[in-house]
Amino acid sequence: MAAPSWLWVPQLFLCLMVPSAAALQVEASEQVCGCCAGPMRNESVAAVFCGSRWDRVRRGRCCLEGDQKIVLGLDFGNCSLHRLCSSFQEVSTAFVIDLTDNPLESLPEGSFQGFTQLQTLALPLKLDCPGGSEVWKNITIQGNNRLCQDQRNPCNGSGGFDSLCPEGSLCTSDGPGLSQCLCVDPYHGYKCLRQGNFPYLLFFGTLGAITTILSALLWITQRRKAKTF
Ligand SMILES: *[C@@H]1O[C@H](CO)[C@@H](O)[C@H](O)[C@H]1NC(C)=O
Ligand SMILES: *[C@@H]1O[C@H](CO)[C@@H](O)[C@H](O)[C@H]1NC(C)=O
Ligand SMILES: *[C@@H]1O[C@H](CO)[C@@H](O)[C@H](O)[C@H]1NC(C)=O
Ligand SMILES: *[C@@H]1O[C@H](CO)[C@@H](O)[C@H](O)[C@H]1NC(C)=O
């Protein structure tokens, strides 16, 4: 039996969309990796991390996972950076980041939001570890650098973040010193107070009815106006 002829439409859609989505992600990480010229510096914590396993590859200033294009490490040391690159958020998958020997003035709040896997961050001495000293298990000073190591899970007991999440939700880490409350099934909505599935039929049914009534009203009133000319 031959396939229906209209099938080429979704197929074409898939052929166009899937590669471009993957390309977009690669492009984004390439943009960050190219934010600073030259290769990784061999003495960087990121280079040491990258060399510790055979299935990690260096590209420019980045350390990537095998062929998957995921950024695991980043050496932005000695890059004359006054602030972080605009696409810095794209490397939230990184385990190790080196920002030493840069004239960085400060790290804006939220710079590391979503960096849940970050375990080693090397900074110029004048900058503090993001989230404060309680967030890291081990902070050491090495020459002109500050090393922030082993991010604590802000949801873990004594931190106190856990108790801020309403009932029906779960505290999850969202980067150094940051947490978010995610509703657990079947709770949803504001403060996870609603239970059960989202009432799609009621929601869209009501929306549709209101739209229809408003359109009808407008049509009638505008028609009346038109007649008076
Ligand atoms: C840095 O490491 C790479 C690969 O491990 C090596 O080929 C290169 O010679 C090293 N460069 C310096 C300056 O040590
Ligand atoms: C930084 O890079 C410059 C060249 O661009 C080099 O001369 C200098 O020694 C480097 N400094 C450090 C601390 O690596
Ligand atoms: C803290 O980090 C330093 C430098 O990496 C390391 O030498 C030291 O053993 C660490 N201390 C703890 C308690 O993990
Ligand atoms: C939570 O805290 C306990 C003790 O403070 C520690 O043993 C455990 O490894 C922590 N778990 C995580 C996920 O950080």
Side-chain angles (χ1 to χ4, degrees), residues 137-140 142 147 149-150:
K137 288 182 191 155
N138 190 2
I139 297 178
T140 44
Q142 296 180 351
L147 210 55
Q149 281 177 301
D150 296 328

Side-chain angles (χ1 to χ4, degrees), residues 11 26 40 52 54 66 74 76 98 108 123 148 156 162-163 196 200 208 213 221:
Q11 271 172 11
V26 172
M40 259 189 206
S52 67
W54 61 270
L74 196 64
F76 275 176
D98 190 337
L123 294 172
C148 325
N156 195 357
D162 210 4
S163 50
Y200 287 105
I213 292 168
T221 52

Side-chain angles (χ1 to χ4, degrees), residues 75-98:
D75 173 23
F76 275 176
N78 200 11
C79 290
S80 309
L81 293 180
H82 288 271
R83 57 186 132 82
L84 296 175
C85 318
S86 56
S87 39
F88 188 73
Q89 279 288 328
E90 303 295 339
V91 292
S92 60
T93 50
F95 287 84
V96 178
I97 294 178
D98 190 337

